[in-house]
Amino acid sequence: MKNILFIFFLLLGLSASASPLAYEIVDEGSQTGIRDKEFVVVKSKNELSQFWGRHSRGGAPTIDFDKEIVLGVFLGFKPDASYGVSLKDVELLSGKIVVKYAEFGGPKGGNVNANGNFRLAPQAVVYPFLILKVKRSELPIEFKSIE
């Protein structure tokens, strides 16, 4: 009985620890056709075609959906170019994929980018975003803003 409890708590502890996942940034920037705050999960070529048509006038990247999925973080309207988004980590945690990102700029960050460096911020409407691909999984996806 003690052995069974030991194994149970060992497995419980292992399932709660985070494991980093490999990813590749597909696109990022400050101008997109997606105008509202939105998180995107794309798992098929048809979904990519529809999504990319909303996002960009350019051609969609080549994705092998047998092996990969596409994830996107879109911040929506921001009033000046001091705003942006950076990817902090992608990890497997408690049976789900967690995409950790940080928003920067604006009243909280002023003209400081994600690395803490000063930058000039032109008065231009922006729509910060980042798009990445990760290994295909059917696990739930969580997008988590971190400071």
Side-chain angles (χ1 to χ4, degrees), residues 22 43 54 75 99 107-108 111 113 122:
K43 293 187 174 186
R54 291 183 335 146
L75 298 186
V99 178
K108 288 192 277 182
N111 294 339
N113 67 16

Side-chain angles (χ1 to χ4, degrees), residues 96-108:
K96 60 188 167 192
I97 295 172
V98 180
V99 178
K100 294 182 177 179
Y101 68 94
E103 298 182 34
F104 58 87
K108 288 192 277 182

Side-chain angles (χ1 to χ4, degrees), residues 18-124:
S19 300
L21 293 178
Y23 63 85
E24 182 181 328
I25 300 288
V26 173
D27 196 9
E28 62 184 325
S30 60
Q31 296 298 322
T32 176
I34 297 174
R35 298 299 192 216
D36 297 314
K37 188 167 190 172
E38 186 175 335
F39 303 104
V40 177
V41 178
V42 178
K43 293 187 174 186
S44 72
K45 187 175 181 178
N46 186 42
E47 288 177 10
L48 179 65
S49 177
Q50 291 175 9
F51 157 69
W52 209 263
R54 291 183 335 146
H55 163 62
S56 174
R57 292 184 184 158
T62 301
I63 305 293
D64 181 351
F65 285 102
D66 290 330
K67 298 178 182 174
E68 302 165 319
I69 59 174
V70 173
L71 309 174
V73 176
F74 295 82
L75 298 186
F77 170 85
K78 300 296 179 190
D80 67 58
S82 72
Y83 290 87
V85 60
S86 64
L87 185 64
K88 295 301 184 184
D89 205 0
V90 180
E91 54 190 25
L92 178 62
L93 178 63
S94 300
K96 60 188 167 192
I97 295 172
V98 180
V99 178
K100 294 182 177 179
Y101 68 94
E103 298 182 34
F104 58 87
K108 288 192 277 182
N111 294 339
V112 178
N113 67 16
N115 298 321
N117 298 321
F118 178 80
R119 69 181 205 173
L120 294 176
Q123 293 298 309

